[in-house]
Amino acid sequence: MNFNRWFVTLLFLTATVCVFGDEAADLRKNLLSAKGADRIGILQKLYDLSLETDDVNYQLKCINQLINEAHRQGNTDEEGNARVLKMTLFYNSDLNDSIYEQVPPTLEFLGSNSSWKYYYETWTILVDALNFTGQTNTGLKEGQAMYDDAKNRNDKYGMGLAYYAMGNVYANMNNTEEAADSYQKSLNMLADISPAPMQLSDIYAYYGDVLEFQKEYHKLDALTEQWKDFLTEYYAKKDDNGESANRWAYYYLACAQAAIGEGDYEKASEMLNEVQKRTFSTESFLYMRWLYYRAELCRLQGFYDEGIALNDRRMRMLDDTSDKTEAFRVRLQRAQLFEALGRYKEAARLYYEMYVINDSINVHDTKRQLTEMNTLLHVDELKAKQAQEQARLEMEKAQQQRLGIIIISSIIVLSLAIFLFFRIRSARRLRIAHEKLEETHSKLEATHQELLTAYDQLEETTIAKERIESDLRIARDIQMSMVPSTFPDRPDLDLYASMTPAKEVGGDLYGYVLSDDKLYFALGDVSGKGVPASLFMAQATRLFRTLAAQGMMPAEIATRINAALSGEDNERSMFVTMFLGLIDLNTGHLDFCNAGHNPPVLIGDGTTEFIEMIPNAPIGLWPGLEYEGEEIADITNRPLFVYTDGLNEAENRQQEQFTDEKLLEILQTVPFETSEKTIELLRDEVEKHRDGAEPNDDLTMLCVKVIK
């Protein structure tokens, strides 16, 4: 019974629901004059608001501002709280490497300030991160070390959290006995703390699932009574900001689990109705749990068609990332419903699926049920009487066995009816299918030992892959931070740009430098893809900004960048095509240098055309080149659109390109409103053209208009 990471609630975070844009702007304005604790309070609210976005970079920026301000004011309590929030943000953004790197110094800081509450909360995040990335043994060792540390200080809160973290690890290892013991010890520790910590609600939920798995329904029922007392007392003293509905929903779900297990179907139905009353998304974990138990209740009450309909909805939510235990029991429920409806072939197929996908849960029983089902399905029609007699004997024997054999005997009895409708030809086809199935079973058993060995290697490979993916996400975040995300707000200038890498990191670049009424801008495309291209891009971007700040002309900037990037240090012979421009915002005069890049488009009244340019070489290939510059006297009120070939060479599934002609047609026929809308329009057109095909190149666009 694995506990999926997305079920872990934000233990130390209270979300604020609000209209993000307007409120954030007001808070930023108030921040200018705020001091002391008020300033920290505003930064805390800004961080809460940032969680309403999907921008992890912005969230990190907000939390870092909060940490820095608390540190500047010497407010160690607020700084400690903010550091825990940062670790939580890393955890919920799957930035596991950042957790492993930053938890130790965070613990050192919290310990030096005796912030033991935040100290053990941060340690819990580390244990959970190890647990849910497959490093269960390491997570268990960290949990034990955390407990020993808290025990030495006689810190009940720390010991309680340590037992809670170890319970999660044991549950993920399918060691339900140790998990239940750890959760109970955690409850015993934390229940004595006043005021009671919110983590108790999550521990009740996890512990309840373990008790249901163990079929300890009486204990589960008793646990819900304690759970109810806790929630009632907790929310009587606290403004829940809307979070109590979700907490109560999990409580009522546990009540339904206990009632179903004890056969009290009326109470179970009432509890499931209470769950449904609470607001939750139809894509949430809570909704999926509700679907399963409502379908299970229908099955037990004999409402099979209704149960199948509910199970259908739950099955559609299963995918390759679904927990194996959950996938198994949803299929088992479906198979039992099919049997009850007499749909035996579909039930047999599901038993086979359960055998294939599950190598640790009830494998022996499932294989036995599958074998018995297939044996029944290929019985020769000429031996029907003998089979009927055998079925009668089997039924008499089943009445003397335990309740679990009822399922098997019912399969035998009901399956016998099948061959009354099958002729010899159908029996022959089933026999062939059975032989193929037996052959598949033989192959599976022959490779079982190889799979065990491969599993260990796969676990190591998966961990390494996740680390690489985390590194690439960090690299992408760093790369995206190197290109501007905000643009000048001036009445005489409309500037906007965007970059969309085809992979985690890319080789496109853009940038601008605004000095008084002089606007430098550049856009480029590095040869190649991935990390090498991104490093070359970073060098080119840094050089452009440095040289533009010195007031050089575009051609001279291109010459200097080429001198820096070409030569012996460029062992990969990488190069970058670039378009560099300088606009005088007073006159509209454009000086530019094109270094092997696509010709930009100049948009006018009724005339939209590519600029004719001198064919300078790309930057980085040959040292010693002197680049030639060009100029246009006035581009006032004429938007200039610059792009990389990820636009015009974008391919669909048939490998047909977007083309220069289509680009010109769109810019000619769609009236220009703003630079941002022009770029959004073309991005949408490219996506429409791809029609689901993967991007074949980075896509970067820049549009600028001088306004008079």
Side-chain angles (χ1 to χ4, degrees), residues 425-619:
R425 182 179 176 184
S426 299
R428 186 181 299 114
R429 273 189 300 210
L430 287 172
R431 188 181 301 110
I432 293 171
H434 175 72
E435 290 171 357
K436 290 182 179 179
L437 184 61
E438 288 295 320
E439 181 181 353
T440 301
H441 288 173
S442 298
K443 290 179 180 179
L444 286 172
E445 292 171 354
T447 59
H448 180 67
Q449 189 59 43
E450 295 177 5
L451 289 174
L452 289 176
T453 303
Y455 178 82
D456 293 335
Q457 298 174 347
L458 177 61
E459 184 177 18
E460 296 176 1
T461 303
T462 301
I463 294 171
K465 178 176 177 290
E466 290 176 349
R467 184 177 295 275
I468 291 171
E469 290 174 347
S470 177
D471 289 343
L472 287 175
R473 281 196 297 270
I474 295 171
R476 181 189 178 102
D477 293 340
I478 294 172
Q479 182 186 18
M480 295 303 293
S481 70
M482 297 184 66
V483 297
S485 59
T486 59
F487 300 93
D489 184 11
R490 294 176 52 141
D492 58 349
L493 176 62
D494 179 10
L495 173 65
Y496 189 81
S498 75
M499 181 173 75
T500 308
K503 296 184 177 180
E504 287 81 2
V505 291
D508 280 5
L509 63 97
Y510 72 85
Y512 73 87
V513 175
L514 182 59
S515 178
D516 296 327
D517 294 325
K518 304 290 185 183
L519 173 68
Y520 287 87
F521 62 93
L523 184 142
D525 185 0
V526 177
S527 60
K529 302 287 182 296
V531 174
S534 71
L535 296 175
F536 203 81
M537 164 266 191
Q539 289 180 286
T541 303
R542 176 180 56 81
L543 288 168
F544 162 72
R545 290 176 180 167
T546 301
L547 297 172
Q550 298 176 23
M552 297 181 182
M553 295 297 287
E556 185 178 2
I557 293 174
T559 300
R560 295 289 188 91
I561 297 177
N562 181 69
L565 297 182
S566 60
E568 296 179 357
D569 291 338
N570 190 2
E571 296 178 354
R572 292 175 175 266
S573 298
M574 300 189 72
F575 62 89
V576 56
T577 65
M578 288 185 74
F579 181 90
L580 303 98
L582 167 60
I583 301 177
D584 187 331
L585 300 181
N586 291 322
T587 64
H589 186 273
L590 169 67
D591 290 290
F592 66 90
C593 177
N594 185 63
H597 198 73
N598 296 354
V601 179
L602 191 59
I603 306 170
D605 295 331
T607 60
T608 300
E609 57 189 5
F610 292 107
I611 298 177
E612 295 289 335
M613 299 179 298
I614 297 172
N616 288 303
I619 292 172

Side-chain angles (χ1 to χ4, degrees), residues 3 46 51 59-60 111 127 133 136 152 192-193 203 215 223 240 251 264 316 346 350 394 432 441 495 572 625 685:
F3 282 71
L46 281 170
L51 299 175
Q59 293 167 4
L60 284 171
V127 177
T133 54
T136 49
N152 289 336
D192 291 338
I193 296 174
I203 299 168
K215 301 187 184 306
L223 184 73
D240 62 38
Y251 158 75
D264 190 345
R316 286 195 293 270
E346 292 165 288
L350 283 165
E394 288 293 330
I432 293 171
H441 288 173
L495 173 65
R572 292 175 175 266
L625 291 180
E685 289 295 329

Side-chain angles (χ1 to χ4, degrees), residues 15-36:
T16 301
V17 180
C18 60
V19 180
F20 174 71
D22 293 342
E23 187 168 351
D26 291 340
L27 288 170
R28 289 286 182 192
K29 183 178 180 181
N30 294 337
L31 188 63
L32 296 175
S33 58
K35 296 180 181 179

Side-chain angles (χ1 to χ4, degrees), residues 36 77 142 145 165 192 196 199 212 268 271 318-319 343 354 362 402 438 483 501 519 523 530 561 565 679:
D77 191 59
E142 282 291 336
D192 291 338
Q199 289 92 329
E212 188 210 20
M271 295 298 98
L318 293 176
D319 55 33
R343 295 162 64 174
M354 286 184 278
N362 298 326
R402 60 186 177 86
E438 288 295 320
V483 297
L519 173 68
L523 184 142
I561 297 177
L565 297 182
I679 287 176

